[in-house]
Amino acid sequence: MNISERFLNYTKFDTQSAEDSQTVPSTSKQLLFAEYLKKELEHEGLDDVELDDKGYLYATLKANTKEDVPVIGFISHYDTSPDCSGANIKPQIVRNYDGTDILLSEGIVSSPKKFPELLQHVGEDLIVTDGKTLLGADDKAGIAEIVQAMVYLQEHKEIKHGKIRVAFNPDEEIGMGAHHFDVKKFACEWAYTMDGGDVGELEFENFNAASAKITIKGISVHPGYAKGKMVNANALAAEFATMLPADETPETTEGYQGFYHLLGITSNIEQAKMSYIIRDHDRDRFEDRKRFIQKCAEEMNAKYGEGTVEAIVNDQYYNMKEKIDPQMHVIDLVLRAMQEVGVAPKVRPIRGGTDGAQLSFKGLPCPNIFAGGINFHGPYEFVPIQSMEKAMQVIVKICQLVGGFND
């Protein structure tokens, strides 16, 4: 089975996670795919294949050398975004892409005018959607690359390597992927998440992240007799939103710039609920942003009465850079591997986060390597087959280089 066939098989499974769920994993359908993966890993000859009751899957590729080689790992998540349907995915392959518009389905076009990154992959074979669901390359492409690399290493025993651990987990898309990851069981000196975007991306800086849940209490009174009595939670929610800087949102920022992002509002006159995420690469500015949200709530309460607005802010993850900086050999290794397989490295900060950020703070240094997908979380998502193949080659080369083995 080649890497594209493996990935296409994975897209048959709906593994969408759910943010408001109280279960682990957040959706039971994720376990169906985990069971499939478990059988696949066993079939492909990996050892110590174990799926726990929370949907975390671990396996081992045994060393084929007697040298004392560090144990390393590769990790990907199998859930897809809650923001776009992952059911009934109908992938299509555009062979030898010519740089023109791609008709996904009637009336739905993926155009390089809107998505100029398509032009970076002219001449390649693109796996796209039918325009009605996401594709799931985030992060089933990463899984396909890891599994294919383990198969390749078993088929090419002349490539010497140490013990390699792999792991696949649920619920990364809702920020919970690393929460139940058993770092002690995984037993690696360091690892890599295969969860980045376009070819060459290597990331070991990410946002510090928090969530903010805003609850606004109103008072409903007949509008004909409302003067001095009604407190309209709808209007207060709109007022709260305008208190945050208009130029510090995802659509107005880039690079290292942080933001406040309003995910959603549910409201009526009596109550409004607002969900925000807070992001910043700089830890001090991150703490300032959290305090600013609380200050806005306090100002609203001073204006409309104590208890009108409640802001609950919870940290989600932190910038892994502070954990990676003391161990830069983990990065140098990837840079060398990319160069040796003909990939130009693109070291850049993640405007988001990965399981690797949380794992790094749990004692497992875990930078993020490209998986090849582009335009994640929507119907215009695509992944070039050649990008997945390059990612697989990088994994193989890392395994070879870790023990000082080379061609």
Side-chain angles (χ1 to χ4, degrees):
M1 184 185 300
N2 63 37
I3 197 167
S4 59
E5 292 170 335
R6 200 176 297 278
F7 171 72
L8 291 172
N9 281 343
Y10 296 166
T11 65
K12 297 174 184 177
F13 292 85
D14 178 10
T15 57
Q16 193 175 32
S17 49
E19 188 169 13
D20 294 329
S21 172
Q22 300 301 311
T23 64
V24 181
S26 63
T27 55
S28 59
K29 58 190 177 183
Q30 292 183 69
L31 291 173
L32 299 177
F33 182 52
E35 291 282 359
Y36 173 88
L37 271 180
K38 179 177 183 290
K39 293 176 182 176
E40 181 173 80
L41 294 177
E42 292 169 340
H43 174 76
E44 297 294 2
L46 274 75
D47 292 288
D48 307 322
V49 181
E50 179 182 352
L51 176 63
D52 69 20
D53 61 352
K54 291 181 170 58
Y56 289 72
L57 179 60
Y58 308 90
T60 300
L61 181 64
K62 289 184 176 179
N64 64 357
T65 176
K66 294 182 180 180
E67 299 292 332
D68 185 16
V69 176
V71 179
I72 65 167
F74 296 91
I75 302 167
S76 288
H77 66 90
Y78 54 77
D79 66 312
T80 60
S81 172
D83 299 330
C84 185
S85 175
N88 301 311
I89 296 171
K90 295 181 174 61
Q92 308 173 80
I93 300 180
V94 179
R95 299 287 181 185
N96 192 22
Y97 173 59
D98 62 5
T100 61
D101 289 357
I102 301 172
L103 180 65
L104 302 178
S105 59
E106 186 175 353
I108 304 175
V109 175
S110 183
S111 170
K113 291 181 181 178
K114 186 170 185 179
F115 305 109
E117 54 268 32
L118 281 164
L119 298 177
Q120 303 300 313
H121 299 281
V122 171
E124 299 179 3
D125 304 315
L126 312 185
I127 303 179
V128 302
T129 75
D130 67 350
K132 299 175 182 177
T133 68
L134 49 65
L135 181 62
D138 181 12
D139 192 22
K140 289 170 183 168
I143 298 173
E145 291 151 10
I146 292 170
V147 175
Q148 199 72 21
M150 299 304 104
V151 171
Y152 186 91
L153 286 169
Q154 289 184 95
E155 292 175 346
H156 294 80
K157 299 190 185 302
E158 72 277 9
I159 301 176
K160 300 302 178 184
H161 60 82
K163 180 179 177 180
I164 302 162
R165 292 280 278 159
V166 301
F168 307 120
N169 60 269
D171 291 341
E172 188 271 352
E173 296 292 356
I174 59 171
M176 300 292 289
H179 282 212
H180 300 280
F181 193 104
D182 194 332
V183 170
K184 184 177 180 180
K185 177 189 293 183
F186 198 46
C188 292
E189 294 193 29
W190 71 86
Y192 301 97
T193 50
M194 302 299 298
D195 192 19
D198 208 355
V199 171
E201 287 188 7
L202 171 60
E203 300 149 330
F204 60 95
E205 296 182 71
N206 60 277
F207 277 137
N208 296 289
S211 66
K213 304 294 184 183
I214 314 300
T215 302
I216 301 173
K217 295 179 181 179
I219 300 174
S220 181
V221 179
H222 188 289
Y225 307 93
K227 185 174 181 180
K229 301 175 184 177
M230 178 184 286
V231 178
N232 191 332
N234 296 304
L236 267 61
E239 182 177 342
F240 187 94
T242 62
M243 295 175 75
L244 302 183
D247 60 349
E248 295 181 21
T249 64
E251 58 268 36
T252 61
T253 54
E254 62 183 354
Y256 286 94
Q257 296 172 322
F259 57 74
Y260 305 92
H261 180 36
L262 178 57
L263 294 177
I265 303 175
T266 59
S267 70
N268 54 38
I269 293 173
E270 291 187 328
Q271 181 174 267
K273 292 187 176 182
M274 310 173 74
S275 176
Y276 280 91
I277 59 174
I278 304 166
R279 300 289 188 264
D280 209 298
H281 278 89
D282 182 87
R283 187 64 175 265
D284 291 337
R285 288 198 299 267
F286 173 63
E287 298 297 333
D288 288 343
R289 289 184 183 280
K290 292 191 295 179
R291 284 191 288 268
F292 184 72
I293 287 279
Q294 296 288 4
K295 180 182 177 184
C296 289
E298 291 167 4
E299 290 181 2
M300 294 281 284
N301 284 329
K303 183 176 180 180
Y304 295 104
E306 194 64 35
T308 302
V309 180
E310 179 185 45
I312 298 176
V313 179
N314 289 309
D315 289 356
Q316 296 172 310
Y317 52 82
Y318 304 109
N319 191 343
M320 76 171 87
K321 185 177 188 295
E322 65 182 84
K323 298 297 181 181
I324 301 297
D325 275 351
Q327 304 191 61
M328 284 302 290
H329 66 280
V330 173
I331 300 300
D332 295 339
L333 191 70
V334 183
L335 294 173
R336 182 180 172 191
M338 286 186 181
Q339 291 164 350
E340 292 199 12
V341 301
V343 171
K346 303 172 186 175
V347 180
R348 58 187 59 173
I350 310 171
R351 286 183 59 79
T354 71
D355 288 331
Q358 295 184 47
L359 292 172
S360 293
F361 281 87
K362 292 179 75 170
L364 180 66
C366 199
N368 191 48
I369 299 175
F370 73 93
I374 301 170
N375 292 341
F376 291 152
H377 298 186
Y380 299 100
E381 182 183 3
F382 71 94
V383 61
I385 294 174
Q386 288 80 359
S387 295
M388 290 195 291
E389 290 171 342
K390 279 296 183 184
M392 185 272 288
Q393 293 168 18
V394 169
I395 295 171
V396 170
K397 182 58 68 172
I398 289 171
C399 296
Q400 185 179 13
L401 292 174
V402 164
F405 307 112
N406 207 348
D407 295 334

